[in-house]
Amino acid sequence: MASINEQGNIQACCPECHGALSTFEWNSKDKIYGSITRADIAESTCYRLYRCAGCGSGALAVVRFTGKLWPGDTRQLLTFHSEAAERLPLPRDLPQSIVNEFREAEKCLDAGCLRAAMGLFRSVLVKVLRANGYVIDRNLPLSHQLDTVAEDGIITKARHRKAARVLGHDIIDDEWHEPPRIDLEALRRFTQRILEDLYEDRAATVLMLRDAGRLVNEEKNMPVPVSAPPPGRKFFPQSLQ
Ligand SMILES: [Zn+2]
Protein backbone atom coordinates (compact mmCIF):
# COMPACT_ATOMS: atom_id res chain seq x y z
CA MET A 1 0.00 0.00 0.00
CA ALA A 2 1.54 3.29 -1.10
CA SER A 3 2.19 5.98 1.52
CA ILE A 4 3.36 9.58 1.33
CA ASN A 5 5.86 11.22 3.69
CA GLU A 6 6.37 14.79 4.93
CA GLN A 7 8.62 15.62 1.96
CA GLY A 8 5.88 14.58 -0.45
CA ASN A 9 7.77 11.47 -1.61
CA ILE A 10 5.94 8.18 -1.90
CA GLN A 11 6.88 4.70 -0.76
CA ALA A 12 5.34 1.97 -2.92
CA CYS A 13 6.12 -1.36 -4.56
CA CYS A 14 7.47 -0.68 -8.05
CA PRO A 15 6.28 -2.97 -10.89
CA GLU A 16 9.49 -2.32 -12.84
CA CYS A 17 11.62 -3.24 -9.79
CA HIS A 18 9.90 -6.69 -9.69
CA GLY A 19 7.53 -5.50 -6.99
CA ALA A 20 10.25 -4.33 -4.56
CA LEU A 21 9.45 -1.51 -2.15
CA SER A 22 10.91 1.71 -3.51
CA THR A 23 10.83 5.47 -3.00
CA PHE A 24 9.16 7.57 -5.70
CA GLU A 25 10.43 11.16 -5.77
CA TRP A 26 8.69 14.23 -7.21
CA ASN A 27 11.92 16.13 -7.89
CA SER A 28 15.61 15.64 -8.52
CA LYS A 29 18.53 17.97 -7.75
CA ASP A 30 17.83 20.23 -10.67
CA LYS A 31 14.19 19.81 -11.65
CA ILE A 32 10.61 19.16 -10.65
CA TYR A 33 8.97 16.45 -12.76
CA GLY A 34 5.68 18.31 -13.12
CA SER A 35 2.23 18.74 -11.65
CA ILE A 36 -1.20 20.25 -12.01
CA THR A 37 -2.78 21.68 -8.87
CA ARG A 38 -6.42 22.55 -8.37
CA ALA A 39 -6.50 24.96 -5.45
CA ASP A 40 -9.47 25.36 -3.18
CA ILE A 41 -9.83 27.53 -0.08
CA ALA A 42 -9.29 24.84 2.54
CA GLU A 43 -7.17 22.36 0.61
CA SER A 44 -5.70 21.64 -2.81
CA THR A 45 -5.66 18.59 -5.05
CA CYS A 46 -2.42 17.91 -6.86
CA TYR A 47 -1.83 15.59 -9.85
CA ARG A 48 1.91 14.99 -9.68
CA LEU A 49 4.52 13.06 -11.61
CA TYR A 50 6.97 10.86 -9.73
CA ARG A 51 10.09 8.88 -10.54
CA CYS A 52 11.23 5.60 -8.96
CA ALA A 53 14.59 6.15 -7.27
CA GLY A 54 15.50 2.54 -8.02
CA CYS A 55 14.82 2.11 -11.74
CA GLY A 56 13.81 5.57 -12.95
CA SER A 57 10.33 4.59 -14.17
CA GLY A 58 7.54 7.15 -13.92
CA ALA A 59 4.35 7.24 -11.88
CA LEU A 60 1.41 9.54 -11.18
CA ALA A 61 -0.09 10.42 -7.82
CA VAL A 62 -3.17 12.35 -6.84
CA VAL A 63 -2.61 14.03 -3.47
CA ARG A 64 -4.86 16.26 -1.40
CA PHE A 65 -2.92 18.68 0.80
CA THR A 66 -3.46 21.66 3.07
CA GLY A 67 -1.32 24.80 3.16
CA LYS A 68 -0.33 27.23 0.44
CA LEU A 69 2.74 25.49 -0.95
CA TRP A 70 3.50 21.88 -1.88
CA PRO A 71 4.09 19.54 -0.07
CA GLY A 72 1.80 21.38 2.31
CA ASP A 73 1.08 21.03 6.00
CA THR A 74 -0.85 17.76 5.76
CA ARG A 75 -1.14 15.32 2.85
CA GLN A 76 -3.54 12.56 1.86
CA LEU A 77 -2.56 10.20 -0.95
CA LEU A 78 -5.72 9.57 -2.99
CA THR A 79 -4.40 7.39 -5.82
CA PHE A 80 -1.04 6.19 -7.10
CA HIS A 81 -0.26 4.59 -10.47
CA SER A 82 1.38 2.28 -11.05
CA GLU A 83 1.89 0.29 -7.91
CA ALA A 84 2.78 -3.38 -8.00
CA ALA A 85 0.57 -5.68 -6.05
CA GLU A 86 1.98 -8.58 -4.06
CA ARG A 87 4.15 -10.89 -6.17
CA LEU A 88 3.90 -14.60 -5.42
CA PRO A 89 7.23 -16.34 -4.82
CA LEU A 90 8.30 -18.70 -7.60
CA PRO A 91 10.70 -21.67 -7.49
CA ARG A 92 14.34 -20.76 -7.97
CA ASP A 93 14.81 -23.38 -10.71
CA LEU A 94 11.86 -22.21 -12.78
CA PRO A 95 13.00 -21.27 -16.33
CA GLN A 96 13.21 -17.52 -16.83
CA SER A 97 10.79 -17.54 -19.78
CA ILE A 98 8.08 -18.99 -17.52
CA VAL A 99 8.91 -16.52 -14.75
CA ASN A 100 8.50 -13.69 -17.27
CA GLU A 101 5.14 -14.97 -18.50
CA PHE A 102 3.82 -15.47 -14.96
CA ARG A 103 4.93 -11.94 -13.98
CA GLU A 104 3.29 -10.47 -17.06
CA ALA A 105 0.07 -12.19 -16.09
CA GLU A 106 0.35 -10.59 -12.64
CA LYS A 107 0.87 -7.19 -14.29
CA CYS A 108 -2.33 -7.72 -16.30
CA LEU A 109 -4.10 -8.52 -13.06
CA ASP A 110 -2.76 -5.28 -11.50
CA ALA A 111 -4.10 -3.33 -14.47
CA GLY A 112 -7.52 -4.98 -14.33
CA CYS A 113 -7.00 -6.81 -17.66
CA LEU A 114 -8.58 -9.97 -16.32
CA ARG A 115 -9.12 -11.90 -19.56
CA ALA A 116 -5.53 -11.24 -20.59
CA ALA A 117 -4.33 -12.44 -17.18
CA MET A 118 -6.43 -15.58 -17.49
CA GLY A 119 -4.99 -16.34 -20.92
CA LEU A 120 -1.42 -15.92 -19.70
CA PHE A 121 -1.81 -18.02 -16.54
CA ARG A 122 -3.34 -20.82 -18.61
CA SER A 123 -0.54 -20.44 -21.15
CA VAL A 124 2.01 -20.86 -18.34
CA LEU A 125 0.35 -24.12 -17.34
CA VAL A 126 0.29 -25.45 -20.90
CA LYS A 127 3.95 -24.59 -21.46
CA VAL A 128 5.28 -26.18 -18.28
CA LEU A 129 3.21 -29.31 -18.81
CA ARG A 130 4.51 -29.65 -22.37
CA ALA A 131 8.07 -28.99 -21.22
CA ASN A 132 7.72 -31.79 -18.70
CA GLY A 133 6.60 -34.31 -21.28
CA TYR A 134 2.83 -34.10 -21.11
CA VAL A 135 0.84 -34.12 -24.33
CA ILE A 136 -1.65 -31.27 -24.43
CA ASP A 137 -4.88 -31.92 -26.32
CA ARG A 138 -6.42 -28.55 -27.15
CA ASN A 139 -9.80 -30.23 -27.62
CA LEU A 140 -9.94 -31.23 -23.97
CA PRO A 141 -10.45 -28.89 -21.01
CA LEU A 142 -7.20 -27.82 -19.40
CA SER A 143 -8.27 -29.38 -16.11
CA HIS A 144 -8.34 -32.80 -17.84
CA GLN A 145 -4.72 -32.35 -18.88
CA LEU A 146 -3.79 -32.68 -15.23
CA ASP A 147 -5.27 -36.19 -14.92
CA THR A 148 -2.04 -37.90 -15.98
CA VAL A 149 0.04 -35.48 -13.89
CA ALA A 150 -1.90 -36.63 -10.85
CA GLU A 151 -1.59 -40.28 -11.89
CA ASP A 152 2.19 -39.82 -12.02
CA GLY A 153 2.14 -38.50 -8.46
CA ILE A 154 3.54 -35.09 -9.46
CA ILE A 155 0.53 -33.27 -8.00
CA THR A 156 -1.59 -34.34 -5.04
CA LYS A 157 -5.15 -35.62 -5.30
CA ALA A 158 -6.33 -32.51 -3.48
CA ARG A 159 -4.64 -30.30 -6.09
CA HIS A 160 -6.11 -32.41 -8.87
CA ARG A 161 -9.61 -32.04 -7.46
CA LYS A 162 -9.14 -28.30 -7.22
CA ALA A 163 -8.14 -28.11 -10.89
CA ALA A 164 -11.69 -28.77 -12.08
CA ARG A 165 -12.94 -25.81 -10.07
CA VAL A 166 -10.14 -23.38 -10.89
CA LEU A 167 -9.66 -24.30 -14.55
CA GLY A 168 -13.19 -25.45 -15.21
CA HIS A 169 -14.38 -22.87 -17.66
CA ASP A 170 -12.14 -21.33 -20.29
CA ILE A 171 -13.78 -18.06 -21.29
CA ILE A 172 -11.13 -17.01 -23.79
CA ASP A 173 -13.12 -18.48 -26.71
CA ASP A 174 -16.45 -17.13 -25.40
CA GLU A 175 -18.13 -13.86 -26.23
CA TRP A 176 -16.45 -11.01 -24.36
CA HIS A 177 -17.25 -10.85 -20.71
CA GLU A 178 -15.08 -10.17 -17.72
CA PRO A 179 -14.29 -13.04 -15.34
CA PRO A 180 -14.64 -12.33 -11.61
CA ARG A 181 -11.38 -11.12 -10.07
CA ILE A 182 -11.70 -13.71 -7.31
CA ASP A 183 -11.48 -16.44 -9.97
CA LEU A 184 -8.27 -14.91 -11.29
CA GLU A 185 -6.73 -14.79 -7.81
CA ALA A 186 -7.57 -18.49 -7.43
CA LEU A 187 -6.05 -19.25 -10.85
CA ARG A 188 -2.89 -17.29 -9.99
CA ARG A 189 -2.36 -19.22 -6.76
CA PHE A 190 -3.21 -22.55 -8.39
CA THR A 191 -0.70 -21.91 -11.19
CA GLN A 192 1.97 -21.01 -8.63
CA ARG A 193 1.33 -24.28 -6.77
CA ILE A 194 1.69 -26.31 -9.98
CA LEU A 195 4.99 -24.55 -10.69
CA GLU A 196 6.14 -25.42 -7.18
CA ASP A 197 5.10 -29.05 -7.67
CA LEU A 198 7.19 -29.24 -10.84
CA TYR A 199 10.22 -27.08 -9.94
CA GLU A 200 10.56 -26.64 -6.16
CA ASP A 201 12.46 -29.90 -5.68
CA ARG A 202 13.52 -30.26 -9.29
CA ALA A 203 15.90 -33.19 -8.91
CA ALA A 204 13.24 -35.35 -7.25
CA THR A 205 10.61 -34.32 -9.80
CA VAL A 206 12.93 -35.17 -12.69
CA LEU A 207 13.34 -38.68 -11.29
CA MET A 208 9.57 -39.08 -10.98
CA LEU A 209 9.03 -37.80 -14.53
CA ARG A 210 11.69 -40.16 -15.83
CA ASP A 211 10.09 -43.12 -14.03
CA ALA A 212 6.78 -42.15 -15.64
CA GLY A 213 8.44 -41.92 -19.07
CA ARG A 214 7.42 -38.29 -19.46
CA LEU A 215 10.68 -36.57 -20.26
CA VAL A 216 11.09 -36.96 -23.99
CA ASN A 217 12.88 -35.07 -26.68
CA GLU A 218 9.98 -33.51 -28.57
CA GLU A 219 11.92 -33.02 -31.81
CA LYS A 220 13.09 -36.60 -32.17
CA ASN A 221 10.37 -38.14 -30.05
CA MET A 222 13.09 -40.03 -28.28
CA PRO A 223 13.66 -40.31 -24.56
CA VAL A 224 16.18 -37.82 -23.30
CA PRO A 225 18.92 -39.30 -21.13
CA VAL A 226 18.10 -37.59 -17.89
CA SER A 227 20.05 -37.89 -14.73
CA ALA A 228 19.55 -36.06 -11.50
CA PRO A 229 21.41 -32.75 -11.77
CA PRO A 230 24.56 -32.37 -9.71
CA PRO A 231 24.27 -30.09 -6.68
CA GLY A 232 23.97 -26.45 -7.66
CA ARG A 233 23.13 -27.14 -11.30
CA LYS A 234 19.69 -26.41 -12.63
CA PHE A 235 17.79 -28.83 -14.82
CA PHE A 236 15.85 -27.22 -17.62
CA PRO A 237 14.05 -29.24 -20.24
CA GLN A 238 15.39 -28.42 -23.70
CA SER A 239 12.20 -26.80 -24.88
CA LEU A 240 12.50 -24.09 -22.23
CA GLN A 241 16.19 -23.30 -22.49
ZN1 LIG B 1 11.40 0.96 -9.86
Side-chain angles (χ1 to χ4, degrees), residues 55-68:
C55 68
S57 62
L60 174 69
V62 181
V63 182
R64 189 173 292 153
F65 68 98
T66 60
K68 289 185 177 177

PDB file of all heavy atoms in Angstrom, residues 55-68:
ATOM      1  N   CYS A  55      14.686   2.437 -10.319  1.00  0.00           N
ATOM      2  CA  CYS A  55      14.818   2.108 -11.739  1.00  0.00           C
ATOM      3  C   CYS A  55      14.551   3.285 -12.665  1.00  0.00           C
ATOM      4  O   CYS A  55      14.790   3.204 -13.869  1.00  0.00           O
ATOM      5  CB  CYS A  55      13.868   0.963 -12.091  1.00  0.00           C
ATOM      6  SG  CYS A  55      12.122   1.440 -12.013  1.00  0.00           S
ATOM      7  N   GLY A  56      14.032   4.390 -12.127  1.00  0.00           N
ATOM      8  CA  GLY A  56      13.807   5.569 -12.955  1.00  0.00           C
ATOM      9  C   GLY A  56      12.482   5.589 -13.688  1.00  0.00           C
ATOM     10  O   GLY A  56      12.219   6.514 -14.454  1.00  0.00           O
ATOM     11  N   SER A  57      11.615   4.590 -13.469  1.00  0.00           N
ATOM     12  CA  SER A  57      10.326   4.594 -14.168  1.00  0.00           C
ATOM     13  C   SER A  57       9.395   5.640 -13.549  1.00  0.00           C
ATOM     14  O   SER A  57       9.546   6.038 -12.394  1.00  0.00           O
ATOM     15  CB  SER A  57       9.692   3.204 -14.121  1.00  0.00           C
ATOM     16  OG  SER A  57       9.442   2.825 -12.795  1.00  0.00           O
ATOM     17  N   GLY A  58       8.418   6.084 -14.351  1.00  0.00           N
ATOM     18  CA  GLY A  58       7.537   7.154 -13.922  1.00  0.00           C
ATOM     19  C   GLY A  58       6.272   6.657 -13.250  1.00  0.00           C
ATOM     20  O   GLY A  58       5.900   5.483 -13.369  1.00  0.00           O
ATOM     21  N   ALA A  59       5.611   7.567 -12.546  1.00  0.00           N
ATOM     22  CA  ALA A  59       4.352   7.245 -11.876  1.00  0.00           C
ATOM     23  C   ALA A  59       3.572   8.534 -11.674  1.00  0.00           C
ATOM     24  O   ALA A  59       4.125   9.636 -11.793  1.00  0.00           O
ATOM     25  CB  ALA A  59       4.620   6.565 -10.533  1.00  0.00           C
ATOM     26  N   LEU A  60       2.285   8.376 -11.382  1.00  0.00           N
ATOM     27  CA  LEU A  60       1.412   9.537 -11.181  1.00  0.00           C
ATOM     28  C   LEU A  60       0.643   9.381  -9.880  1.00  0.00           C
ATOM     29  O   LEU A  60       0.069   8.316  -9.619  1.00  0.00           O
ATOM     30  CB  LEU A  60       0.424   9.655 -12.348  1.00  0.00           C
ATOM     31  CG  LEU A  60      -0.644  10.742 -12.211  1.00  0.00           C
ATOM     32  CD1 LEU A  60      -0.027  12.134 -12.300  1.00  0.00           C
ATOM     33  CD2 LEU A  60      -1.717  10.575 -13.271  1.00  0.00           C
ATOM     34  N   ALA A  61       0.658  10.448  -9.084  1.00  0.00           N
ATOM     35  CA  ALA A  61      -0.088  10.419  -7.820  1.00  0.00           C
ATOM     36  C   ALA A  61      -1.112  11.545  -7.797  1.00  0.00           C
ATOM     37  O   ALA A  61      -0.893  12.608  -8.388  1.00  0.00           O
ATOM     38  CB  ALA A  61       0.866  10.570  -6.639  1.00  0.00           C
ATOM     39  N   VAL A  62      -2.205  11.291  -7.127  1.00  0.00           N
ATOM     40  CA  VAL A  62      -3.172  12.349  -6.837  1.00  0.00           C
ATOM     41  C   VAL A  62      -3.156  12.534  -5.321  1.00  0.00           C
ATOM     42  O   VAL A  62      -3.397  11.586  -4.578  1.00  0.00           O
ATOM     43  CB  VAL A  62      -4.582  11.981  -7.318  1.00  0.00           C
ATOM     44  CG1 VAL A  62      -5.556  13.123  -7.017  1.00  0.00           C
ATOM     45  CG2 VAL A  62      -4.573  11.651  -8.805  1.00  0.00           C
ATOM     46  N   VAL A  63      -2.808  13.766  -4.904  1.00  0.00           N
ATOM     47  CA  VAL A  63      -2.608  14.032  -3.474  1.00  0.00           C
ATOM     48  C   VAL A  63      -3.445  15.248  -3.068  1.00  0.00           C
ATOM     49  O   VAL A  63      -3.443  16.275  -3.759  1.00  0.00           O
ATOM     50  CB  VAL A  63      -1.113  14.331  -3.175  1.00  0.00           C
ATOM     51  CG1 VAL A  63      -0.910  14.567  -1.679  1.00  0.00           C
ATOM     52  CG2 VAL A  63      -0.226  13.204  -3.665  1.00  0.00           C
ATOM     53  N   ARG A  64      -4.150  15.110  -1.961  1.00  0.00           N
ATOM     54  CA  ARG A  64      -4.862  16.256  -1.401  1.00  0.00           C
ATOM     55  C   ARG A  64      -4.005  16.803  -0.261  1.00  0.00           C
ATOM     56  O   ARG A  64      -3.525  16.032   0.578  1.00  0.00           O
ATOM     57  CB  ARG A  64      -6.227  15.798  -0.883  1.00  0.00           C
ATOM     58  CG  ARG A  64      -7.139  16.951  -0.463  1.00  0.00           C
ATOM     59  CD  ARG A  64      -8.519  16.434  -0.124  1.00  0.00           C
ATOM     60  NE  ARG A  64      -9.198  15.946  -1.318  1.00  0.00           N
ATOM     61  CZ  ARG A  64     -10.137  14.999  -1.305  1.00  0.00           C
ATOM     62  NH1 ARG A  64     -10.463  14.416  -0.172  1.00  0.00           N
ATOM     63  NH2 ARG A  64     -10.723  14.624  -2.411  1.00  0.00           N
ATOM     64  N   PHE A  65      -3.761  18.118  -0.260  1.00  0.00           N
ATOM     65  CA  PHE A  65      -2.921  18.676   0.797  1.00  0.00           C
ATOM     66  C   PHE A  65      -3.453  20.027   1.276  1.00  0.00           C
ATOM     67  O   PHE A  65      -4.181  20.711   0.551  1.00  0.00           O
ATOM     68  CB  PHE A  65      -1.463  18.795   0.343  1.00  0.00           C
ATOM     69  CG  PHE A  65      -1.216  19.827  -0.728  1.00  0.00           C
ATOM     70  CD1 PHE A  65      -0.749  21.096  -0.400  1.00  0.00           C
ATOM     71  CD2 PHE A  65      -1.416  19.529  -2.074  1.00  0.00           C
ATOM     72  CE1 PHE A  65      -0.499  22.046  -1.381  1.00  0.00           C
ATOM     73  CE2 PHE A  65      -1.192  20.474  -3.063  1.00  0.00           C
ATOM     74  CZ  PHE A  65      -0.721  21.737  -2.725  1.00  0.00           C
ATOM     75  N   THR A  66      -3.080  20.356   2.505  1.00  0.00           N
ATOM     76  CA  THR A  66      -3.464  21.655   3.070  1.00  0.00           C
ATOM     77  C   THR A  66      -2.227  22.541   3.112  1.00  0.00           C
ATOM     78  O   THR A  66      -1.092  22.051   3.088  1.00  0.00           O
ATOM     79  CB  THR A  66      -4.026  21.514   4.494  1.00  0.00           C
ATOM     80  OG1 THR A  66      -3.005  20.929   5.319  1.00  0.00           O
ATOM     81  CG2 THR A  66      -5.259  20.623   4.514  1.00  0.00           C
ATOM     82  N   GLY A  67      -2.448  23.869   3.175  1.00  0.00           N
ATOM     83  CA  GLY A  67      -1.318  24.800   3.165  1.00  0.00           C
ATOM     84  C   GLY A  67      -1.162  25.396   1.775  1.00  0.00           C
ATOM     85  O   GLY A  67      -1.662  24.854   0.787  1.00  0.00           O
ATOM     86  N   LYS A  68      -0.423  26.494   1.707  1.00  0.00           N
ATOM     87  CA  LYS A  68      -0.327  27.226   0.440  1.00  0.00           C
ATOM     88  C   LYS A  68       0.626  26.572  -0.545  1.00  0.00           C
ATOM     89  O   LYS A  68       0.407  26.601  -1.753  1.00  0.00           O
ATOM     90  CB  LYS A  68       0.114  28.658   0.711  1.00  0.00           C
ATOM     91  CG  LYS A  68      -0.978  29.496   1.376  1.00  0.00           C
ATOM     92  CD  LYS A  68      -0.549  30.936   1.523  1.00  0.00           C
ATOM     93  CE  LYS A  68      -1.703  31.761   2.136  1.00  0.00           C
ATOM     94  NZ  LYS A  68      -1.302  33.163   2.363  1.00  0.00           N
TER      95      LYS A  68
END
